[in-house]
Amino acid sequence: MATPSTAPEVMFSLLGAAHALEDRIEQQLGQVGLSMSKLGVLTQLVEAGEPLALSELAARLSCVRSNMTQLVDRLEADGLVRRVDDPADRRSVLAAVTRLGEERQVAGAHELAKVREEFTAALPVADRVALARALAALGKG
Amino acid sequence: MATPSTAPEVMFSLLGAAHALEDRIEQQLGQVGLSMSKLGVLTQLVEAGEPLALSELAARLSCVRSNMTQLVDRLEADGLVRRVDDPADRRSVLAAVTRLGEERQVAGAHELAKVREEFTAALPVADRVALARALAALGKG
DNA sequence: CCGTTATTGTTCATATATGAATAGTCCCGC
DNA sequence: GCGGGACTATTCATATATGAACAATAACGG
């Protein structure tokens, strides 16, 4: 017989594991004065290699625009990003990463890589493959 | 050769899947005027069968006490919970579930069960077992 | 062209969460 | 007994997130 009683438990295990992982990432990023949200914005800007509209950032990071307004407010207060007028569209406001922002992004990515290594180390290869497959199945469903 | 490039991806897949699942749960609970947090408190109170101190609730739900203060504020405003003095300890404040709160807890648990069924249906048995094993490995690490 | 529609960022209200600071209360060692 | 340390809930500041309402601007159809 299978283990029917594990079904509900697994869902909560998934939520719990993700929560713990998030806490771990936030803690690690906190060491360089970043959060997952802030690093996400900086990384998008660095990868794009040019200023992006707040609207575009919100779309890429899957959040609403009002959230990006506040996030960029805080990043600007931190000196990691600058608001720039969009010459092509007067409605639009672009976020440009600063020199300090670029440096911080590198530092943040490094901290994130550490957590990724921890994660990988804690998970035997067979389990990692199985986890990937299971999550893929969930994503399709 | 293994698939080294999947390692980082899996970590983010896990976060993404958990995020999507949480959104789904919140959406479903929203139909009966609840959130995960609120349902968590109500369920603890119903299962305990007696009023619990806010401190105890915070411990059981793994959050800080100031969060519980606010959560119980909102639950009280919703009429789902009542603050009661603890006769045995004047520092303590107990949360007592109301009749309406009990009814709502049942409704919320029902909505949650629906999501659990969806979850189970989206995940082939083999994947569910593999997922459980992988999450267990993560928890131990 | 010009009016309708869509888009953009911001503001506000709200929900959830943390952590520091505070006031009240309890309890233990002496 | 009582004084100091531990525990209680609350308040405040802050971070993150959503969604509604709004003003400015763009874009498009006729």
Side-chain angles (χ1 to χ4, degrees):
Chain A
M1 156 162 74
T3 54
S5 67
T6 62
E9 193 195 299
V10 171
M11 189 174 85
F12 292 112
S13 291
L14 177 61
L15 293 176
H19 191 77
L21 179 55
E22 258 175 22
D23 285 354
R24 181 74 192 86
I25 293 175
E26 293 292 349
Q27 181 214 338
Q28 201 64 25
L29 289 181
Q31 294 188 6
V32 294
L34 286 180
S35 61
M36 279 224 73
S37 301
K38 287 179 176 178
L39 177 59
V41 172
L42 293 179
T43 299
Q44 287 298 322
L45 292 175
V46 166
E47 284 180 359
E50 63 178 358
L52 294 176
L54 300 205
S55 208
E56 178 62 26
L57 282 169
R60 294 193 190 195
L61 298 175
S62 303
C63 70
V64 299
R65 280 166 303 149
S66 60
N67 191 27
M68 195 52 60
T69 294
Q70 301 177 102
L71 198 41
V72 169
D73 282 349
R74 291 189 294 269
L75 284 166
E76 213 170 17
D78 292 344
L80 306 181
V81 139
R82 231 176 35 245
R83 273 184 170 84
V84 181
D85 285 343
D86 185 341
D89 187 340
R90 271 190 289 173
R91 292 170 302 180
S92 188
V93 175
L94 305 179
V97 67
T98 64
R99 182 66 167 269
L100 181 60
E102 284 175 19
E103 292 168 8
R104 202 67 71 84
Q105 192 276 332
V106 171
H110 187 251
E111 296 303 316
L112 194 56
K114 283 190 201 167
V115 179
R116 173 167 60 75
E117 281 159 27
E118 273 180 24
F119 181 87
T120 301
L123 203 57
V125 179
D127 282 338
R128 187 158 76 241
V129 173
L131 180 57
R133 191 179 351 260
L135 292 175
L138 267 183
K140 283 177 219 149
Chain B
M1 158 162 69
T3 52
S5 67
T6 62
E9 192 195 299
V10 171
M11 190 174 85
F12 291 113
S13 291
L14 176 61
L15 293 177
H19 192 78
L21 180 55
E22 258 175 22
D23 284 356
R24 181 74 191 84
I25 292 174
E26 293 293 347
Q27 181 214 338
Q28 200 64 24
L29 288 181
Q31 294 188 5
V32 293
L34 286 180
S35 62
M36 277 224 76
S37 302
K38 288 179 175 178
L39 178 58
V41 172
L42 294 180
T43 299
Q44 286 299 322
L45 292 175
V46 166
E47 284 180 358
E50 62 179 358
L52 295 176
L54 300 205
S55 209
E56 178 61 27
L57 281 168
R60 294 193 189 196
L61 298 174
S62 303
C63 70
V64 298
R65 277 163 311 151
S66 61
N67 191 28
M68 195 50 62
T69 295
Q70 301 178 102
L71 198 41
V72 169
D73 282 349
R74 290 189 294 270
L75 284 166
E76 212 169 18
D78 291 345
L80 306 182
V81 139
R82 231 176 36 243
R83 273 184 170 85
V84 180
D85 285 343
D86 185 341
D89 187 339
R90 270 190 290 172
R91 293 170 302 181
S92 188
V93 175
L94 306 179
V97 66
T98 63
R99 181 66 166 267
L100 181 60
E102 285 175 19
E103 292 169 8
R104 202 67 71 84
Q105 192 274 333
V106 171
H110 187 252
E111 296 302 317
L112 194 56
K114 284 189 202 167
V115 178
R116 173 168 60 76
E117 282 159 26
E118 273 180 24
F119 181 86
T120 301
L123 203 57
V125 179
D127 282 337
R128 186 159 77 240
V129 173
L131 180 57
R133 190 180 351 260
L135 293 174
L138 267 183
K140 283 177 220 152

